[in-house]
Amino acid sequence: MSERPRWDRIAGIVFDAVGTLIKPDPSVAAVYTAAARRQGVELEPEAVRARFHAHFQSDAVHGENGVLSTDEETERRRWRQIVVGVLPEIPEPESAFDELWEHFSRPESWRCFPDVAPALRALKLMGIELCVGSNFDGRLRGVVQGLPELASWVDSLVISSEVGYRKPHASFFRAACAHLGLPPEQVLCVGDDLENDVRGAIRAGLSGLVLDRGASGTLDLPQVANLTALVQSFSPWSVGRGPW
Ligand SMILES: [Mg+2]
């Protein structure tokens, strides 16, 4: 499982979205806390953050095709359940859900990490095909279109609710390879989630790389601390890749 990617073979990359390329700004905890406050409920942002983390991790909502299957309606159900779980005190959970759903659909609610635009540009110039592959839902299309750092460089977007299966299901990674037009052995998946982005990708025959922005360095998986390091990993192999 800890095998390094074969950099000379990689012709396409699937990037996870949240935590890898983008993050919510303001934070999820701040946005949920404000939504509760609008309904007269005061909560500690740190408590909200811990609740969100717990409810986001619990994967109890599935589509009609079993574990890890999904579609747009399933994702709405998932997020409704998360909102109710994180903010059980509020009197009108449905209106909070509508507000929060809308909030996170807007590009201005998200920010790219500073290393994203330079890295995507450098990888594109090396001739590497770039795909965003995410367990976000259809709202991600509008978010990506509204963030120039992504819209300028990303070739394709693969979203679990459109594929029918969430990461780490092999069907998701097969769909991503199909979008890139490449066999799995030429595709690298990069993300901040060990199971969803890396172990699942490796099981499906792709290469996997953990983006560990905290740089703990203790994983038994290939990892980088930022996207600049990812670009540098390619550099010895970049000669002859680009348009020059
Ligand atoms: Mg992520």
Side-chain angles (χ1 to χ4, degrees), residues 31-199:
V31 173
Y32 274 60
T33 303
R37 187 176 303 123
R38 282 193 290 278
Q39 295 197 23
V41 177
E42 279 299 333
L43 296 169
E44 283 295 321
E46 183 49 35
V48 172
R49 192 199 64 77
R51 285 183 191 173
F52 181 84
H53 186 72
H55 284 277
F56 185 72
Q57 296 300 326
S58 75
D59 208 11
V61 177
H62 300 296
E64 59 187 17
N65 292 319
V67 173
L68 294 176
S69 72
T70 191
D71 55 25
E72 280 294 309
E73 188 45 44
T74 302
E75 292 306 309
R76 283 187 74 91
R77 275 197 290 129
R78 177 193 314 285
W79 283 105
R80 190 176 282 109
Q81 186 167 302
I82 289 171
V83 170
V84 169
V86 174
L87 305 176
E89 300 92 344
I90 59 174
E92 293 179 42
E94 194 60 26
S95 79
F97 165 72
D98 288 342
E99 272 176 37
L100 291 164
W101 181 269
E102 166 66 19
H103 173 88
F104 289 108
S105 74
R106 293 196 293 266
E108 54 270 30
S109 302
W110 298 89
R111 187 158 60 84
C112 283
F113 291 96
D115 55 0
V116 168
L120 296 188
R121 179 177 185 278
L123 293 167
K124 258 328 268 184
L125 291 175
M126 288 180 203
I128 296 168
E129 290 288 305
L130 305 179
C131 170
V132 174
S134 175
N135 279 348
F136 208 141
D137 47 72
R139 292 174 293 170
L140 184 61
R141 291 197 175 276
V143 171
V144 167
Q145 277 168 12
L147 293 171
E149 302 96 315
L150 299 183
S152 304
W153 304 111
V154 168
D155 299 298
S156 57
L157 192 49
V158 178
I159 297 174
S160 57
S161 58
E162 299 174 359
V163 170
Y165 289 93
R166 295 169 63 77
K167 292 184 280 187
H169 197 286
S171 295
F172 180 92
F173 296 104
R174 281 196 288 270
C177 291
H179 272 259
L180 287 166
L182 292 168
E185 56 270 23
Q186 291 184 24
V187 178
L188 171 68
C189 189
V190 178
D192 65 321
D193 188 297
L194 307 189
E195 175 62 18
N196 288 349
D197 301 325
V198 180
R199 292 196 180 101

